[in-house]
Amino acid sequence: MKILRRDFVRDGPGSVKLMAEDSDDLWFTYNLIAPGDSVMAFTSRKVLKEKGNSKRVDSERVASKLEDSDSDSDQRVDSKRVASKKRGGSKKRGNPKCLDDEDDDSKPLVSERITLKLEVKIEEVNYDKDGDVLRILGTNILENEHVPLGAYHSLELVLKRRFLLRKKTWDLLAIDTLNQAKHHNSSADLAVVLMQEGHAQIFHVGKSVGAPIETSIPNRKHAGYEPALKKFFENVVRAFLKHVDLSVVRCVVIASPGFTKDQFHRHLLLEAERRELRPITENKSRILLVHANSGYRHSLGEVLSDPKVVKMIQDTKASKEVNALKDFFTMFDKDPYRACYGPKHVEFAHEQKAIQTLLITDELFKNSDVQKRKKYVDFVESVKQLGGEAFIFSSMHVSGEQLAKHTGIAALLRFPLPDIDDIEM
């Protein structure tokens, strides 16, 4: 992420000017932006103008006005025709000006797409990982002749295009996310190629990058099986070269049921030798083959828990998060008084200074209510100040999805709290 300008203080209002340089930067931007923030960027909008006239009219506003005035205009035309008939239809042949000609006096409108700068107060953010774009929906707060204040508009944040982000409060979580975005290229942990015959997808530390790779493959006994499988592998290699940088990623895992992973691994190395792809040939020892029950996203947790993968990434953020969640579920089964989940139970445990490890999803911080967001940010800081450890899980990571099923907040405790059952969830 390229940070072009900073203008904020911690726990105060301010702005930052940014430019996303790759798909990971858009991912960090998605995590940085919250409802209630505002984004200023260039966008395009269709406007109408009279042919031969430089004056433009907003097409969306014109459309709504035309709908409202259709019935009125019909009534006016009918009344003119009635009046004409009452006069006996006495239009002189020599007079070129007739009723129909009056209707043709208005000049035709032509549409034109223009570029303009808008600032939108955010209500909704959608991340399109396949198209490398963030779509932001909200209301316009920057006065403009084409878009009125308060009108809904969508902005698209794409690669290599600058934008300005304003926040009412730059809390510690937002600043941490911004710093991670700035230095993420030096801290990538793991890439996973999760596949089965005809389907594959690539993930970075649990976050998918690029669209799933789909190729229709006939039955093994069919004559077209081998060519179809080769074409599928070629598509996966193309995606691999686009999304996996072995100068940055510490480890690559190829996982699948059966022997698909082994077949693809051989194909990848042969292609690397044939095309002299040195980053692959020089780092082939960092490519692991792991079994998975399927080639779909839900098998990612299984892959990250494999002993070979854990050993390779044991000191990374991804591994620590996976292990923390695994320890929580293990403790909850063995000694339920030393593990809890749900806001009220976790808050009670904190009041008793009992939290050893806090697990929380980033969704709880993406709240338009500034006070609620501040509450969770302060809570995380308070746990750390008391010597506890805190992990913030991405809601789009497989482990974050698991935690979200348990209210999005949980804790491992230093000592048992039998009284916690008396508190309503």
Side-chain angles (χ1 to χ4, degrees):
M1 179 79 78
K2 184 173 285 188
I3 300 176
L4 303 169
R5 189 181 75 232
R6 288 178 182 235
D7 185 18
F8 63 81
V9 292
R10 179 175 167 177
D11 296 326
S15 64
V16 61
K17 194 170 188 177
L18 304 168
M19 184 172 71
E21 296 187 295
D22 57 36
S23 57
D24 281 344
D25 290 342
L26 287 176
W27 165 254
F28 280 109
T29 304
Y30 171 76
N31 286 296
L32 183 62
I33 291 175
D37 297 345
S38 69
V39 167
M40 182 190 292
F42 283 99
T43 185
S44 64
R45 191 176 178 95
K46 185 185 284 187
V47 299
L48 297 176
K49 70 173 184 177
E50 291 181 356
K51 194 171 184 180
N53 190 345
S54 61
K55 186 175 181 181
R56 297 185 179 97
V57 184
D58 187 355
S59 61
E60 295 182 18
R61 294 164 69 183
V62 168
S64 63
K65 287 181 179 180
L66 286 175
E67 289 175 4
D68 294 339
S69 62
D70 275 348
S71 57
D72 294 338
S73 62
D74 290 342
Q75 291 174 5
R76 287 196 297 271
V77 171
D78 289 342
S79 64
K80 285 184 179 182
R81 287 175 178 166
V82 169
S84 176
K85 286 182 180 179
K86 284 183 178 180
R87 290 194 298 269
S90 57
K91 292 252 178 208
K92 295 181 180 178
R93 290 185 180 180
N95 185 3
K97 187 82 171 174
C98 64
L99 181 61
D100 292 338
D101 291 332
E102 289 178 13
D103 290 341
D104 291 339
D105 279 348
S106 59
K107 294 181 180 179
L109 295 175
V110 293
S111 65
E112 178 186 8
R113 186 164 289 278
I114 62 169
T115 299
L116 62 160
K117 184 188 288 186
L118 290 182
E119 184 168 3
V120 168
K121 185 176 181 182
I122 299 166
E123 292 187 7
E124 186 180 335
V125 184
N126 294 307
Y127 173 50
D128 180 0
K129 60 181 179 293
D130 301 335
D132 280 343
V133 61
L134 275 183
R135 293 187 177 88
I136 295 171
L137 177 65
T139 53
N140 178 39
I141 59 173
L142 184 64
E143 193 167 352
N144 187 285
E145 63 174 307
H146 301 295
V147 185
L149 293 174
Y152 275 91
H153 192 84
S154 61
L155 294 177
E156 289 192 349
L157 303 185
V158 297
L159 301 180
K160 307 297 183 182
R161 189 178 296 172
R162 301 178 181 191
F163 63 94
L164 184 77
L165 171 64
R166 296 187 204 274
K167 285 180 173 287
K168 292 180 180 177
T169 305
W170 282 88
D171 54 41
L172 184 64
L173 179 67
I175 295 172
D176 279 350
T177 303
L178 185 63
N179 290 333
Q180 286 178 43
K182 183 179 179 181
H183 302 293
H184 79 87
N185 282 334
S186 60
S187 59
D189 294 334
L190 175 70
V192 178
V193 182
L194 195 55
M195 65 193 312
Q196 63 188 50
E197 283 190 359
H199 174 88
Q201 190 156 5
I202 297 174
F203 299 85
H204 281 177
V205 199
K207 173 177 69 70
S208 59
V209 292
I213 301 136
E214 305 277 2
T215 303
S216 178
I217 296 179
N219 188 282
R220 288 174 181 270
K221 296 180 181 179
H222 194 280
Y225 172 78
E226 290 295 338
L229 187 64
K230 183 179 179 182
K231 180 181 177 182
F232 169 60
F233 285 162
E234 287 172 354
N235 292 337
V236 180
V237 169
R238 192 177 300 115
F240 185 95
L241 295 175
K242 178 180 179 182
H243 296 297
V244 179
D245 184 352
L246 283 164
S247 67
V248 173
V249 173
R250 179 178 300 198
C251 172
V252 176
V253 175
I254 303 173
S256 78
F259 297 102
T260 307
K261 60 185 180 299
D262 305 272
Q263 292 172 292
F264 173 69
H265 184 235
R266 285 195 295 272
H267 181 89
L268 177 66
L269 295 183
L270 286 172
E271 279 295 294
E273 290 180 7
R274 184 179 70 84
R275 295 163 59 178
E276 297 182 352
L277 303 173
R278 292 183 61 188
I280 294 176
T281 55
E282 292 176 358
N283 294 285
K284 57 186 178 182
S285 62
R286 289 160 51 197
I287 301 175
L288 301 179
L289 305 185
V290 172
H291 173 78
N293 286 323
S294 84
Y296 289 86
R297 182 185 177 88
H298 63 265
S299 292
L300 195 56
E302 170 194 359
V303 172
L304 296 176
S305 300
D306 184 278
K308 288 191 292 184
V309 178
V310 170
K311 184 178 179 181
M312 181 69 78
I313 61 167
Q314 58 188 350
D315 61 337
T316 65
K317 180 177 180 288
S319 178
K320 289 176 181 177
E321 288 180 359
V322 170
N323 288 335
L325 189 61
K326 185 177 179 181
D327 291 344
F328 166 76
F329 287 125
T330 301
M331 183 65 76
F332 198 79
D333 287 337
K334 290 183 176 179
D335 189 355
Y337 292 130
R338 284 201 55 197
C340 63
Y341 67 92
K344 290 187 178 179
H345 282 195
V346 174
E347 285 173 16
F348 174 77
H350 183 52
E351 289 170 3
Q352 310 305 311
K353 298 181 173 59
I355 295 180
Q356 178 179 323
T357 305
L358 175 68
L359 299 83
I360 186 169
T361 64
D362 58 5
E363 277 297 315
L364 296 178
F365 299 94
K366 292 180 181 178
N367 200 307
S368 57
D369 187 330
V370 176
Q371 293 304 315
K372 285 185 179 179
R373 176 183 168 93
K374 187 175 186 302
K375 170 188 169 183
Y376 284 114
V377 171
D378 292 344
F379 189 79
V380 170
E381 279 301 289
S382 182
V383 168
K384 290 179 178 179
Q385 287 171 4
L386 291 173
E389 193 173 16
F391 292 99
I392 300 173
F393 289 72
S394 167
S395 57
M396 295 183 76
H397 188 294
V398 66
S399 56
E401 291 173 355
Q402 288 179 284
L403 182 58
K405 293 176 182 177
H406 292 77
T407 74
I409 185 168
L412 281 161
L413 309 181
R414 294 188 176 96
F415 48 82
L417 288 177
D419 297 338
I420 205 165
D421 284 343
D422 298 335
I423 301 169
E424 292 185 6
M425 290 284 285

